Amino acid sequence: MKKTLVGVLAAAMLFSGTAMAAPPGGLQGKLDGLTKEHRFPAALGTTTQNGSSTAYVSGTAVLGKNVPVPRNGQVRAGSNTKAFVATVVMQLVAEGKVELDKPINHYLPNAVKDDRITVRQLLNHTSGLANYTNYMGLDKFEEQRHRYYEPRELLDIGNAHPTTGEPGEKFKYSNTNYVLLGLLVQKVTGRPIAENVDQRIVQKIKLKDTYWPGVGEEGIRGRHAQGYSKTGNGIEDVTELDPSWGWAAGQIISTTKDLNLFYSALLNGKLVPQAQLKEMQKTVETKGEMWAGAEYGLGIASTPLTCGGRYWGHGGDIHGYETRGGVAPNGRAFSVAVTALPGTFQDTPEDAMKAHDAMLSTVDAALCGAK
């Protein structure tokens, strides 16, 4: 990894690592490995298939104490937010209110300097726009933790820095893309992106524990394990923070069960028509930007399984929490969350990478049938 793993992950909410075949053993053993071997304070996982869910937990909800981890506890879902936002955009496409291959400047005049950048290129991270989170000082998180950002501030940061390529040239993960998509939804509907996600997705498929934090809201409303991060003051409990810097790129709070239900509903055609789902599953190569074998569509990614086929999901990294998961071809869904980013409790970059690989291995094991 470049620089420190936690710095890169937190600042850019990037994905990296390699999916590995799972060793023998059940899912409880895999989660125990995340907390005992890889030193995450807590791990939470849920499998869902045929309408039935099974929750797993390991570790402690509070570092240094023996506090039970709440089953299906809420976590900051980070960049899984992108899949929710992309779903709303694709609903608007189906309604004839947005066209994928029209320039974003058609809907948001002068939002970006290059009139060629399209809605599709924002969705699949081929716009070439600079990633604002690389430039806002998140490596000094203690100084940013309680800072509130307006969405346009985030866009201004991205626009102030050089592009990473020509529109459509290559995949380059950039949170700036999804700030623009959030603004697009608001412009087209005349309503907040948070309300759109809530009404079009959360309420529609009855996600009980998923919400978009309100302006200035720093806590987590439901049962949860505390999240931890390295700061200039050492390792701190960062459960309470202002997530506005993530906005439409990473603000949502959810649970591993709700993430399963969301991705399952999306892939089953309950949220977007088949024509739009097919567009979402048109992928580009990620070439080292994500984990090995990953391909990125329109707000969702596919990853090869060691047992054959590919699963669809996204994942998220934000201070205090990392999530991974998705849905296998047979409909089995699994999501896992830990209460720190890799690199927080691991001693070396190599150990941090192993910890991240263990997250992917846990997903692979679950989706390949481990119980």
Side-chain angles (χ1 to χ4, degrees):
M1 288 291 290
K2 299 170 270 187
K3 301 179 183 177
T4 63
L5 186 79
V6 79
V8 174
L9 285 173
M13 287 192 285
L14 291 177
F15 306 108
S16 58
T18 304
M20 301 166 61
L27 281 183
Q28 187 60 56
K30 297 290 287 182
L31 264 70
D32 289 344
L34 290 172
T35 59
K36 294 175 182 177
E37 180 182 353
H38 298 291
R39 300 168 59 190
F40 292 110
L44 307 87
T46 302
T47 58
T48 303
Q49 191 165 24
N50 300 324
S52 178
S53 292
T54 303
Y56 302 82
V57 295
S58 183
T60 180
V62 180
L63 188 64
K65 299 181 180 180
N66 186 17
V67 179
V69 178
R71 291 184 180 274
N72 200 42
Q74 288 180 330
V75 296
R76 295 193 186 277
S79 286
N80 287 291
T81 304
K82 293 180 175 68
F84 285 79
V85 171
T87 298
V88 173
V89 171
M90 297 309 288
Q91 291 173 346
L92 296 173
V93 171
E95 293 165 13
K97 298 173 182 176
V98 171
E99 293 183 32
L100 285 174
D101 296 310
K102 271 199 172 178
I104 187 61
N105 280 351
H106 171 80
Y107 302 99
L108 300 169
N110 303 313
V112 294
K113 299 171 185 175
D114 194 328
D115 286 332
R116 297 174 296 169
I117 294 173
T118 66
V119 173
R120 184 189 299 273
Q121 291 163 354
L122 299 176
L123 285 162
N124 66 11
H125 293 293
T126 62
S127 70
L129 291 171
N131 186 358
Y132 71 86
T133 53
N134 287 343
Y135 301 100
M136 59 190 303
L138 288 178
D139 53 333
K140 296 180 179 179
F141 180 58
E142 64 276 11
E143 299 175 8
Q144 299 287 337
R145 180 176 170 184
H146 302 294
R147 164 81 150 81
Y148 173 73
Y149 284 90
E150 288 285 350
R152 283 280 179 173
E153 287 185 85
L154 307 176
L155 178 58
D156 288 346
I157 296 171
N159 279 337
H161 292 86
T163 59
T164 58
E166 292 292 306
E169 177 186 359
K170 61 183 179 181
F171 177 93
K172 187 69 175 177
Y173 196 89
S174 175
N175 292 299
T176 307
N177 294 321
Y178 277 75
V179 169
L180 279 159
L181 291 167
L183 293 170
L184 167 67
V185 170
Q186 296 190 156
K187 179 67 176 293
V188 170
T189 66
R191 300 301 303 166
I193 180 61
E195 181 183 297
N196 273 279
V197 167
D198 182 64
Q199 294 185 355
R200 291 171 170 268
I201 300 174
V202 174
Q203 300 301 324
K204 183 173 183 178
I205 60 175
K206 297 179 173 61
L207 301 181
K208 296 180 180 179
D209 298 298
T210 299
Y211 67 95
W212 192 297
V215 173
E217 185 176 2
E218 295 198 328
I220 295 178
R221 296 174 190 173
R223 298 177 309 129
H224 61 276
Q226 304 298 96
Y228 297 89
S229 183
K230 275 184 180 174
T231 74
N233 303 318
I235 293 176
E236 289 190 275
D237 179 346
V238 296
T239 311
E240 291 194 0
L241 56 82
D242 192 315
S244 59
W245 66 268
W247 197 54
Q251 192 162 345
I252 280 178
I253 288 173
S254 189
T255 64
T256 51
K257 179 181 178 180
D258 273 7
L259 290 173
N260 287 350
L261 296 175
F262 164 63
Y263 287 113
S264 296
L266 175 60
L267 294 164
N268 287 337
K270 294 179 181 178
L271 290 172
V272 299
Q274 285 299 318
Q276 280 67 49
L277 180 58
K278 187 176 180 181
E279 291 292 330
M280 294 182 80
Q281 293 179 304
K282 291 180 179 178
T283 60
V284 293
E285 294 182 1
T286 61
K287 295 182 180 179
E289 286 280 301
M290 295 177 70
W291 49 84
E295 298 178 358
Y296 203 92
L298 305 185
I300 53 175
S302 77
T303 305
L305 288 162
T306 58
C307 54
R310 303 179 70 89
Y311 70 90
W312 289 93
H314 199 287
D317 298 38
I318 191 169
H319 297 90
Y321 300 93
E322 179 173 83
T323 51
R324 292 290 183 270
V327 183
N330 66 359
R332 183 176 175 87
F334 177 76
S335 294
V336 61
V338 289
T339 55
L341 291 175
T344 305
F345 291 93
Q346 295 77 30
D347 295 326
T348 66
E350 291 75 20
D351 288 341
M353 185 65 74
K354 289 177 182 177
H356 185 263
D357 289 346
M359 288 282 285
L360 296 173
S361 175
T362 301
V363 174
D364 184 86
L367 294 180
C368 284
K371 297 181 180 179

